[in-house]
Amino acid sequence: MVERRFLRTAFALSALAFLALAGCRESGSEGEHFELSGRLFVFNYRVATVQYLVTLRPLKPIGEGEVAVATFENPAGGEAIVVRQKIWPLNDKVTINSPPLECVVKDKPYKVSIRIEDAKGELMQALETTMASSQDQSVLPDKPLVVGPFYDPNPELKGHPDGHLPEGRGVTCPPAA
């Protein structure tokens, strides 16, 4: 009987100690202000676009004037795509979208770099990752399927119900490696 009480008490104290330690855990080391919490390619079939989407989760309180500068590898080649975005102090996540892309190839890793800068433009943290799409851009129609505020069928696609035109998207993509 005494042994059972002792075990219950010991278990309860262990659980409380674990919870207390977990509550005191520091969220992020000295240089970590954000962690990468999501990354994917967003395909919008209706408007024939694909974009990078990256989500960051703050590990520390966000300061006034902080900015995220994301540099995305350009799947079409050429200069990298740079997106500069203000980080709002009260948000529980930061979502960064690229402009529409061309030439996305399935399973090819694309480089993404994110700089977190303070209000003075000083580097607070740098994040590096790669992203690979589970789909090839060829699954998208060549032009938006609908146009205008009433989602009228796109007249440019008349006679092409699958959305693919004989001349394609009109973009020359680099050869897939």
Side-chain angles (χ1 to χ4, degrees):
M1 190 80 146
V2 174
E3 215 174 289
R4 269 184 141 164
R5 256 194 222 149
F6 174 75
L7 287 175
R8 273 191 242 150
T9 305
F11 179 75
L13 289 173
S14 297
L16 284 173
F18 177 77
L19 289 173
L21 286 174
C24 293
R25 183 180 76 81
E26 182 179 83
S27 57
S29 65
E30 183 63 30
E32 292 181 354
H33 296 271
F34 292 87
E35 73 175 356
L36 191 62
S37 61
R39 59 187 179 182
L40 60 107
F41 283 88
V42 177
F43 282 75
N44 188 327
Y45 194 80
R46 184 179 53 80
V47 293
T49 62
V50 60
Q51 296 175 283
Y52 286 108
L53 182 131
V54 177
T55 307
L56 304 174
R57 186 175 70 84
L59 298 174
K60 297 180 178 178
I62 299 170
E64 198 63 44
E66 289 181 17
V67 174
V69 181
T71 303
F72 300 102
E73 182 177 346
N74 188 343
E79 288 188 39
I81 299 163
V82 179
V83 175
R84 186 176 187 82
Q85 183 172 314
K86 181 175 176 32
I87 300 173
W88 299 98
L90 297 178
N91 286 357
D92 60 347
K93 67 180 177 180
V94 177
T95 303
I96 305 168
N97 284 30
S98 73
L101 305 168
E102 294 290 345
C103 306
V104 173
V105 176
K106 178 181 180 177
D107 296 328
K108 180 179 181 199
Y110 296 101
K111 294 178 186 174
V112 178
S113 303
I114 302 168
R115 292 175 48 93
I116 305 297
E117 299 176 352
D118 65 14
K120 296 177 186 174
E122 302 282 325
L123 177 66
M124 294 171 56
Q125 183 181 357
L127 299 153
E128 301 279 329
T129 191
T130 59
M131 293 175 61
S133 174
S134 61
Q135 295 294 319
D136 198 77
Q137 189 157 0
S138 62
V139 300
L140 289 176
D142 294 326
K143 300 274 184 182
L145 297 176
V146 293
V147 293
F150 299 108
Y151 298 100
D152 296 320
N154 189 341
E156 294 180 68
L157 294 176
K158 188 170 184 153
H160 303 283
D162 65 351
H164 293 283
L165 299 170
E167 66 274 6
R169 296 179 68 81
V171 175
T172 304
C173 294

